[in-house]
Amino acid sequence: QELLVESGGGLVQAGGSLRLSCVASTFTFRTYSMGWFRQAPGKEREFVAAINGIIGLRGATYYADFVKGRFTISRDNAKNTVYLQMSSLKPEDTAVYYCASDNSGGFPRNFLDYELRYWGKGTLVTVSS
């Protein structure tokens, strides 16, 4: 059973925008911190952005330096969904984007250390030049 399902990927021109969505099932979504990673061809998976749940720093966000000012992470607890709004996209943003979640606490260290409970299967984002 898939617990995290991403959508919204596709082909976009450089400078364009996309919004990714990740729908979660079978766990108490609002208590989980949620985030996004990406993996470009031939490269290792890297952290993109994360948002905390309602425990601790409620709704706090954390971003990789390379997306600050371009990407925004948000969540809708009523819909069990986390979003990644991506703007000013660059060809180097081309990657498979993965959603991840965790309820172990220690936000955002759990994301920076890749110690997460659930992972989605990813959605491909291709940015053409």
Side-chain angles (χ1 to χ4, degrees), residues 22 33-37 47 49-51 73 82 98-102 111:
C22 172
S33 53
M34 304 293 298
W36 293 91
F37 291 75
F47 168 76
I51 185 167
I73 189 170
V82 61
Y98 297 91
C99 178
S101 67
D102 190 64
F111 283 86

Side-chain angles (χ1 to χ4, degrees), residues 10-127:
L11 175 63
V12 63
Q13 289 187 333
S17 299
L18 276 178
R19 189 177 78 159
L20 306 183
S21 301
C22 172
V23 179
S25 61
T26 74
F27 57 82
T28 309
F29 178 80
R30 62 184 178 275
T31 67
Y32 277 66
S33 53
M34 304 293 298
W36 293 91
F37 291 75
R38 70 185 187 184
Q39 187 167 17
K43 295 187 177 180
E44 294 186 349
R45 191 171 298 190
E46 61 182 355
F47 168 76
V48 175
I51 185 167
N52 203 20
I54 63 172
I55 298 174
L57 296 172
R58 182 175 186 144
T61 58
Y62 196 84
Y63 294 93
D65 286 343
F66 57 80
V67 301
K68 286 182 179 178
R70 299 192 299 126
F71 293 7
T72 301
I73 189 170
S74 62
R75 64 190 295 160
D76 185 337
N77 290 335
K79 295 182 178 180
N80 279 18
T81 302
V82 61
Y83 304 98
L84 185 67
Q85 178 67 49
M86 305 185 294
S87 303
S88 302
L89 283 162
K90 307 173 183 180
E92 51 264 43
D93 293 319
T94 295
V96 177
Y97 284 72
Y98 297 91
C99 178
S101 67
D102 190 64
N103 67 341
S104 65
F107 180 88
R109 178 52 56 186
N110 50 343
F111 283 86
L112 300 179
D113 291 343
Y114 294 64
E115 294 178 351
L116 302 162
R117 186 169 183 179
Y118 300 119
W119 290 87
K121 293 185 177 181
T123 185
L124 177 62
V125 173
T126 303
V127 184

